[in-house]
Amino acid sequence: VQLQASGGGMVQAGGSLRLSCGASGSDFTINAMNWYRQAPGKERDFVAGIGSGGKTNYADAVKGRFTISRGTPDNTRYMEMQMDSLKPEDTAVYYCNVFARSPTTRWTHYWGQGTQVTVSS
């Protein structure tokens, strides 16, 4: 499973950004798709996730400001995260993550390359 994330950038506090992530590869099934973030000098933290049935989950720090969504029924290997009312403390490298398996592998977490989000005050 290969993940490609995009959409990071620099924005002023109160602004918005949209991140996207697409998964590619052959013959795999995705369960959950998630976003994590890692600020300088800190651990990587969960931000938001969406399950195969569409159930969403958010970290308390982003509830009400971030919205995660998954692709159409024809494209469930794609997700986006709309980030509104951004704060300087949202500054971090954001990582796309999926929990997936293939006929020959167990359920495994896969990671994409990070995309930088910088929010200036």
Side-chain angles (χ1 to χ4, degrees):
V1 179
Q2 293 83 43
L3 301 175
Q4 182 68 43
S6 62
M10 182 178 294
V11 67
Q12 289 187 334
S16 298
L17 286 172
R18 180 184 291 264
L19 304 183
S20 62
C21 177
S24 62
S26 60
D27 200 17
F28 64 91
T29 301
I30 293 176
N31 185 343
M33 302 186 79
N34 309 291
W35 288 99
Y36 285 74
R37 67 186 181 186
Q38 187 167 18
K42 295 187 177 181
E43 295 184 350
R44 190 174 297 185
D45 293 326
F46 172 81
V47 177
I50 184 166
S52 57
K55 182 178 180 180
T56 58
N57 188 29
Y58 296 93
D60 289 342
V62 307
K63 281 181 181 177
R65 300 188 298 119
F66 291 11
T67 303
I68 190 171
S69 60
R70 202 148 165 183
T72 63
D74 292 332
N75 185 12
T76 57
R77 298 179 175 184
Y78 179 82
M79 70 169 171
E80 292 185 335
M81 184 167 68
Q82 177 68 33
M83 304 186 295
D84 298 319
S85 302
L86 282 161
K87 304 175 181 180
E89 51 263 45
D90 294 319
T91 295
V93 177
Y94 284 71
Y95 294 91
C96 174
N97 164 277
V98 299
F99 192 53
R101 69 171 174 86
S102 74
T104 58
T105 65
R106 298 179 178 179
W107 288 102
T108 304
H109 282 280
Y110 295 89
W111 295 90
Q113 91 288 1
T115 183
Q116 177 70 46
V117 171
T118 303
V119 185
S120 61
S121 58

